[in-house]
Amino acid sequence: MFRFRRSVYLDNNATTPVSREVQKMMIRVLKNNYGNPSSLYRVARDSASILEESRENVAECIGAGAHEVIFTGSATEANNTILTGLADHFYPGKKKIIASPIEHDSVMMTLEHLKKRGIEVLYCPVDNHGRIDIRAIEACIDDNTFLITCMMANNEIGTVQDINALSRIARRRDILLMSDCVQALGKIRVHVRESGLDYASFSAHKINGPKGVGAVYVREGCPIFPIIHGGHQESGLRAGTESIHNIAGFGKACQEVRNNLELADDIGKVKNYFAMGLKRINPGILLQSPDSDSLPNTLSVTFPGVSNSLLMAFLDSHGIACSAGSACNTQADSPSHVLKAIGLTDDSARQTIRFSLSKKTGKKDIDYVLESIKDFLDMGSSPVNIVLPGHVDENFLRNEDLFILDVRFWHDRKSLRGLSGSHEASFFSIKGYLPDLPKDKYVLAVCQMGYNAPIIAYLLRSNHFKRVGFLATGLLGLKMVNPELYEKYSGRDIIKLTPRS
Ligand code: PLP
């Protein structure tokens, strides 16, 4: 059952590997260019020239002028900068922002935060493929509206929006238009000026660049304000000494975008091959990504009746990486807001997995993934025990045969007491604990919400632990379903395990 014949990375919308050329560039800069670009002597000037060269590379790649690009620490920061600055600038004269309901959390959470400060946010509905309704958006515009924000391409289902149509409306009604272009860059053509955008955000690590660097595009003449104050870097719009090696890596990654775009059709063909293979396994499998106007690499798939966390844990034990939607959301209990916005029920959303391919994904990889999915679906019973919180009672918890392995993160342990008698281990370095875990006992993996424990359960099974289970919906679920039991059997005799190095 636990063959692990190859590693297949299908989570390229979460992040991408750093390309060889980007690595070379970054190492060169790390070795040679330590100068602070704000200083005036030669080593500093060398750093400044790398900074400006990278800015030009990013600008050229997105269809902007170099003076319209501001480097940030991430696209999350870029989105926060645009939204917060504009809200402060326009409020209280104008109060309203119109947004799509399927924005990334870095936009959604910022909007929710701004609401507490008096900003009115109107989420316009999308259809069941996530496409915005341009007319509905236009109908929502009033004298109070100062901004429309709509991502160019969605990270979970891959829907590509008609930004040009939105920009025509924004121009006509004299409203600013912002677009989170993080997922679009490198997968479809992005040209901020031709699209008529006033603001856009970008992230290097989605295009084979480094993590920890992003950019704001701000059209010449549009208002923009810093959210990080201090030095005069980035024309006073983003204080803090520039991360030259990251910025250089971003610039290099942007230079590779054009070549990568030429491979988009090939990636799309592999995606279609995957989609057809899934339908062959079971015609009841539902594809949530639209057929057209969609990112070539993104396939969101609902497996009716199958828990996504269990299937993902099984695939992980086979060397296959995929995710349940936004990487930022995989620790959260609530089902994806994107899937809910396109009409999925909570249950269907919890049965949905996002596969995001890259130019490195071949048909052989997809064959292996399809075979693994088929193996999982064909299995009569799960090789790891799924313990529902409703099935946990005093007898279960008192059983001498039970070994509770608590793999929660430290911040979760602070917010919720562990089960009495449980053994704490780190999720990330679980291999170090394996020699000391009892093979003769029933091992129950426990996490906060039920997402991480299945991965550990499968890992134990593949390491010859015969009797393994996990607590579905985690400790939070148990506390909710049976608060008295949780109160009585938590917080005592907890043992902290030490991993072997
Ligand atoms: N916007 C979208 C659409 C994304 O997919 C992501 C990352 O997943 C972000 C913004 C945030 O990017 P960063 O990781 O650079 O903060």
Side-chain angles (χ1 to χ4, degrees):
M1 181 189 80
F2 293 106
R3 285 155 308 158
F4 187 138
R5 283 189 277 118
R6 58 203 297 146
S7 284
V8 186
Y9 182 69
L10 296 183
D11 205 13
N12 289 279
N13 286 8
T15 196
T16 54
V18 177
S19 83
R20 202 178 290 264
E21 290 305 310
V22 170
Q23 287 178 33
K24 274 197 223 156
M25 162 67 99
M26 290 180 68
I27 290 168
R28 208 188 73 210
V29 171
L30 276 168
K31 275 190 181 156
N32 303 320
N33 301 100
Y34 57 86
N36 187 327
S38 296
S39 301
L40 295 176
Y41 38 80
R42 193 177 49 77
V43 280
R45 290 197 307 275
D46 288 348
S47 294
S49 97
I50 289 170
L51 181 62
E52 293 319 314
E53 207 179 295
S54 305
R55 198 185 309 281
E56 273 168 25
N57 289 339
V58 174
E60 193 191 331
C61 174
I62 64 171
H67 61 292
E68 295 171 310
V69 173
I70 303 160
F71 287 116
T72 58
S74 62
T76 297
E77 185 192 322
N79 286 333
N80 273 264
T81 303
I82 302 166
L83 290 167
T84 310
L86 289 181
D88 286 346
H89 175 67
F90 283 102
Y91 185 84
K94 289 188 182 221
K95 294 195 177 83
K96 189 160 146 188
I97 299 177
I98 298 174
S100 98
I102 59 169
E103 295 297 295
H104 184 262
D105 273 352
S106 54
V107 170
M108 294 297 266
M109 294 298 142
T110 309
L111 290 175
E112 289 305 305
H113 175 71
L114 292 174
K115 268 161 96 175
K116 292 184 203 136
R117 289 164 46 178
I119 295 293
E120 213 181 290
V121 181
L122 206 114
Y123 296 106
C124 275
V126 288
D127 70 12
N128 61 357
H129 285 305
R131 294 194 191 97
I132 48 162
D133 181 340
I134 306 278
R135 283 206 192 136
I137 291 190
E138 184 158 26
C140 296
I141 298 172
D142 60 18
D143 290 346
N144 233 342
T145 311
F146 61 91
L147 180 72
I148 300 174
T149 181
C150 178
M151 67 203 321
M152 191 169 273
N154 183 265
N155 46 310
E156 291 189 36
I157 53 178
T159 311
V160 175
Q161 306 289 0
D162 189 351
I163 295 295
N164 288 60
L166 263 189
S167 91
R168 283 193 291 274
I169 292 173
R171 287 276 171 279
R172 202 164 56 234
R173 305 293 295 270
D174 202 18
I175 288 165
L176 295 168
L177 175 63
M178 150 185 183
S179 184
D180 173 336
C181 296
V182 167
Q183 293 291 345
L185 192 65
K187 298 178 185 123
I188 56 171
R189 184 171 176 274
V190 174
H191 197 290
V192 288
R193 281 195 185 146
E194 283 177 16
S195 295
L197 287 170
D198 298 309
Y199 304 90
S201 53
F202 299 93
S203 180
H205 72 99
K206 311 286 182 175
I207 56 163
N208 305 104
K211 291 159 188 60
V213 57
V216 170
Y217 159 73
V218 50
R219 189 168 65 83
E220 190 176 341
C222 289
I224 184 84
F225 307 92
I227 56 167
I228 295 178
H229 303 276
H232 55 266
Q233 293 89 353
E234 296 298 288
S235 313
L237 290 166
R238 203 283 184 172
T241 304
E242 299 88 343
S243 177
I244 296 294
H245 58 292
N246 272 343
I247 290 173
F250 191 5
K252 190 74 199 167
C254 281
Q255 285 188 309
E256 295 179 352
V257 159
R258 186 179 305 183
N259 283 348
N260 287 343
L261 280 180
E262 283 169 13
L263 301 171
D265 280 352
D266 295 340
I267 298 174
K269 281 183 195 144
V270 179
K271 178 175 97 165
N272 290 343
Y273 177 77
F274 187 21
M276 279 175 344
L278 287 167
K279 283 286 183 189
R280 257 198 310 279
I281 291 176
N282 178 353
I285 289 174
L286 301 169
L287 307 178
Q288 304 299 349
S289 303
D291 289 338
S292 57
D293 299 327
S294 172
L295 290 178
N297 79 321
T298 308
L299 194 61
S300 170
V301 184
T302 305
F303 298 88
V306 174
S307 145
N308 57 10
S309 51
L310 203 56
L311 177 52
M312 283 189 306
F314 178 84
L315 294 177
D316 177 53
S317 73
H318 283 60
I320 299 164
C322 52
S323 78
S326 165
C328 317
N329 250 332
T330 47
Q331 308 299 335
D333 188 32
S334 48
S336 142
H337 68 276
V338 175
L339 299 175
K340 301 264 315 214
I342 63 168
L344 268 66
T345 60
D346 284 11
D347 280 350
S348 300
R350 290 198 172 98
Q351 295 162 359
T352 303
I353 294 182
R354 173 190 72 184
F355 300 94
S356 44
L357 288 58
S358 75
K359 62 182 177 188
K360 298 226 164 105
T361 315
K363 284 192 175 169
K364 285 216 168 91
D365 294 318
I366 295 300
D367 287 338
Y368 175 61
V369 175
L370 288 168
E371 200 186 310
S372 306
I373 290 174
K374 186 169 175 341
D375 283 351
F376 179 86
L377 298 179
D378 285 349
M379 248 172 348
S381 60
S382 168
V384 300
N385 229 231
I386 306 167
V387 178
L388 298 171
H391 292 163
V392 178
D393 58 17
E394 296 209 11
N395 284 340
F396 180 88
L397 290 175
R398 280 204 198 133
N399 196 327
E400 294 277 301
D401 187 38
L402 176 69
F403 184 93
I404 303 173
L405 185 63
D406 181 333
V407 294
R408 291 178 304 146
F409 305 125
W410 64 268
H411 49 92
D412 290 334
R413 289 190 179 131
K414 268 181 141 180
S415 71
L416 203 63
R417 288 190 307 272
L419 288 174
S420 296
S422 57
H423 300 78
E424 290 182 350
S426 157
F427 174 76
F428 297 110
S429 43
I430 196 73
K431 286 216 160 135
Y433 300 89
L434 293 182
D436 298 318
L437 299 181
K439 284 218 163 83
D440 57 335
K441 292 208 170 194
Y442 174 76
V443 182
L444 180 75
V446 172
C447 63
Q448 190 86 340
M449 298 177 198
Y451 291 110
N452 299 335
I455 292 175
I456 299 298
Y458 270 108
L459 195 131
L460 292 176
R461 278 293 278 125
S462 50
N463 280 278
H464 313 295
F465 286 77
K466 293 251 166 355
R467 294 183 302 131
V468 177
F470 72 92
L471 180 62
T473 72
L475 275 186
L476 269 176
L478 180 68
K479 189 177 178 208
M480 212 144 67
V481 170
N482 200 337
E484 292 86 25
L485 186 84
Y486 172 78
E487 278 309 314
K488 191 163 170 194
Y489 285 93
S490 61
R492 279 177 290 108
D493 307 323
I494 291 169
I495 298 155
K496 203 171 171 49
L497 299 177
T498 316
R500 295 204 196 177
S501 51

